[in-house]
Structure formats: C-alpha cells, structure tokens
C-alpha cells in the first residue's frame, strides 16, 4: 500500500509526500535498490530542493550503470549541481556529455551556470548559439530572461529589450508574472539610464508597473519613475 501511494505521489509530482513516505519506511520497498526506484527518489529530492541528496543518488546510479549511464541522467545530475551552486561539479558533468543530439541541453545548462556566476558575456555566447525556438520555449528559468538580463548588464539595451518582450510573451502564455521578470525590467531600465536614454528607462519601468503583483511593488516602481 505504501509503495502504491509513493508511486502515485511521484506521478502527481507531489515530491514532498514521496520523501515523507520513503525516509521512515525504506525497508518497506522491495525494489528500493533498483535504478528505477532510486531515480524516482533522487528526482523527488531535487523536486523539494534537497539537491545534495539528489546528487548523491544520481551519482550512485551512474556508478552502477558505468558506461551505460546516459547523457540525460548526466545532465540532470549537472542541473542539480548547478542548483546546489556546486559549479565545478556541474561543469565537470557537462564536459562528460558528448554528441550533437545533446549539445542544446548542454549549452542551456552552461548558459545558466555562466549567468549564475555573473559571467554575462559567456551566457550570451552560449545562448546566442541556440536557435530562437530553444530560447522562447516556455521553461523555468526562462532562457530568454537570462539572455535579456545578460545583455542589459553588458550595456546592449536595445537587444535586451527584444528578449525582454519575448520573456513577457512567455509569461502571458502561462498566465503567470514573475518577480524575476520585474527584476529584469529594472535592470534594463538601469541600462537605458546609464546610457542617457531616460525616456526609454521610464517607459520600461511603466511597463513593469503593469505586471507587478502587489500595490507595494507598484508604489516602488512609481517612485523609481519619479527619480528620472
């Protein structure tokens, strides 16, 4: 019964329940040492942001599988390492992935890694080598937002504006608005302000004010506009 409940929770992406069922009852699962089960638990640890535990299990699976461990599992482990801010481990794992069919997934991770370390030119280089369909696919974190913010940090304000619009369109498709997107607008406004394009900076902040979730955030943005 516990096993069925755990599998059902995993299928429903209720990862917290998976771990609550697993940790005190590990001996109750006859298949607990199989790759499939270990993968399910690792995914669940990652899903509740316990990335170190997820990495340990993923690496255990890779050790069992040896040369048969696929690129998809290696990239998933690299992503967990990235989210744990273990950049050296993430980079080493990415470097293990070979083959043109995995190149896009590898570059997505490398771009996120570069961005997390504030290596904006490198992030732009990785993302610029991907087709636009990769950058505008709905995802989290949004690759187009990473590209927009990186370009803004590099002073490429108009290019940043193009990708910011793409990011906003993605958010509208999923009917969500993110604080990260608002932050991206503010960085772009700062980019315009530094270049002396104050009218463009104000327009960007006014646009950001239309998507923020709280009155306090709107008041803050209107204050920012008043400073220009």
């Amino acid at each position: 019964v516990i096993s069925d409940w755990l599998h059902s929770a995993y299928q429903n992406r209720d990862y917290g329940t998976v771990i609550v069922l697993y940790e005190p009852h590990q001996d109750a699962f006859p298949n607990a040492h199989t790759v499939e089960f270990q993968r399910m638990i690792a995914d669940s640890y990652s899903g509740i942001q316990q990335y170190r535990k997820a990495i340990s299990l993923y690496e255990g699976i890779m050790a069992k599988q040896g040369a048969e461990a696929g690129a998809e599992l290696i990239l998933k482990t690299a992503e967990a390492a990235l989210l744990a801010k273990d950049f050296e481990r993430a980079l080493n794992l990415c470097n293990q992935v070979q083959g043109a069919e995995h190149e896009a997934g590898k570059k997505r991770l490398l771009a996120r890694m570069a961005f997390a370390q504030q290596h904006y030119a490198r992030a732009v280089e990785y993302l610029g080598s991907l087709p636009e369909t990769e950058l505008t696919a709905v995802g989290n974190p949004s690759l187009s937002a990473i590209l927009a913010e990186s370009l803004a940090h590099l002073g490429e304000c108009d290019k940043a504006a193009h990708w910011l619009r793409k990011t906003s369109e993605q958010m509208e498709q999923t009917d969500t608005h993110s604080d990260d997107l608002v932050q991206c607008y503010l960085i772009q406004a700062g980019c315009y302000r530094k270049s002396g394009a104050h009218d463009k900076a104000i327009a960007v902040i006014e646009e950001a004010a239309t998507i923020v979730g709280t009155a306090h955030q709107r008041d803050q943005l209107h204050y920012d506009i008043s400073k220009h």
Side-chain angles (χ1 to χ4, degrees), residues 143-165:
L143 295 178
S144 58
I146 288 175
L147 181 53
E149 188 169 333
S150 296
L151 287 164
H153 279 295
L154 295 170
E156 299 278 0
C157 307
D158 290 335
K159 289 181 181 178
H162 168 78
W163 289 106
L164 191 58
R165 283 192 295 274

Side-chain angles (χ1 to χ4, degrees), residues 38-71:
Q38 291 290 303
R39 176 70 180 267
M40 183 168 59
I41 300 303
D43 290 347
S44 298
Y45 273 126
S46 186
I48 61 171
Q49 300 180 7
Q50 292 195 25
Y51 301 117
R52 298 288 178 185
K53 290 183 177 180
I55 291 166
S56 178
L57 286 169
Y58 286 139
E59 290 186 336
I61 295 169
M62 288 192 290
K64 284 181 184 177
Q65 293 185 321
E68 294 180 6

